[in-house]
Amino acid sequence: MEAIIETTQQEKKDKALKVMLLFAIGSMVMVFAGLTSAYVVSKSRPDWLSDFVLPSDFTISTVAIVISSITMHLALKKTKEGNAKASRVFLLSTLLLGIFFIFLQFRGFGQVISEGYFFTGSESTITTSFLYVVVIVHIVHLVGGLISLLVVIYNDFKQRYNAAQYTGLQLCAWFWHFLDLLWVYLFLFFTFFK
């Protein structure tokens, strides 16, 4: 009887955590919807760059984050199968790809600066200023994802996840996939909205 009550309590806690994450994701969607809407509205400004091309490092970073989403999916899948060793390899791969993504983003900013476009000042434009803001806000969220991923990796090394209990890893995977989809949307938005 006590085991049944404990299981029910854990199920309730897991469900509450999932709902809280979905609310957080919903609020992040609204933030980025507002930023991209402001970008669209700003198209009528005289300093708008209709011929601006995203740096090539942003394309490479997009590939890196898509691959990281695949490795995160495989980590969760291997945990559900009870293969902790393989799960750990995929979690560490996801972490490295996430760090590589951020590195490429900053290198992309270097490419934008080398073209003479700065965040503020006389060398800035509304186009590149929005690019800086949106990408930095996404990076901040990705750092949050990396922190949660580090917690998951720590818990994985402590063997807190198994085929029956993997909620923390599942929540981290949901958030990571969201960040991946969000970046793909932003990348396509900045690439095709001129």
Side-chain angles (χ1 to χ4, degrees), residues 21 25 29 55 72 87 93 98 137 150 162-163 166:
L21 177 62
I25 287 173
V29 166
M72 178 59 93
S87 175
S93 299
V137 171
L150 286 169
N162 55 52
Y166 50 82

Side-chain angles (χ1 to χ4, degrees), residues 19-33 175 178:
V19 170
M20 287 178 6
L21 177 62
L22 292 175
F23 274 116
I25 287 173
S27 68
M28 288 178 237
V29 166
M30 290 191 301
V31 166
F32 284 96
F175 186 56
F178 164 71

Side-chain angles (χ1 to χ4, degrees), residues 120-141:
T120 61
S122 60
E123 295 87 14
S124 70
T125 68
I126 192 68
T127 311
T128 56
S129 292
F130 263 111
L131 177 70
Y132 280 109
V133 169
V134 171
V135 172
I136 288 172
V137 171
H138 182 263
I139 288 173
V140 167
H141 286 87

Side-chain angles (χ1 to χ4, degrees), residues 1-15:
M1 181 70 168
E2 192 174 307
I4 293 172
I5 292 171
E6 202 172 290
T7 302
T8 306
Q9 294 273 25
Q10 186 62 43
E11 287 172 357
K12 286 181 180 178
K13 180 182 174 187
D14 292 350
K15 186 176 180 179

Side-chain angles (χ1 to χ4, degrees), residues 11 27 54 57 97 102 105 114 126 133 135 154 157 178 180:
E11 287 172 357
S27 68
L54 283 179
D57 280 334
L97 286 163
I102 292 174
Q105 296 281 286
S114 70
I126 192 68
V133 169
V135 172
Y154 173 80
F157 274 102
F178 164 71
D180 176 23

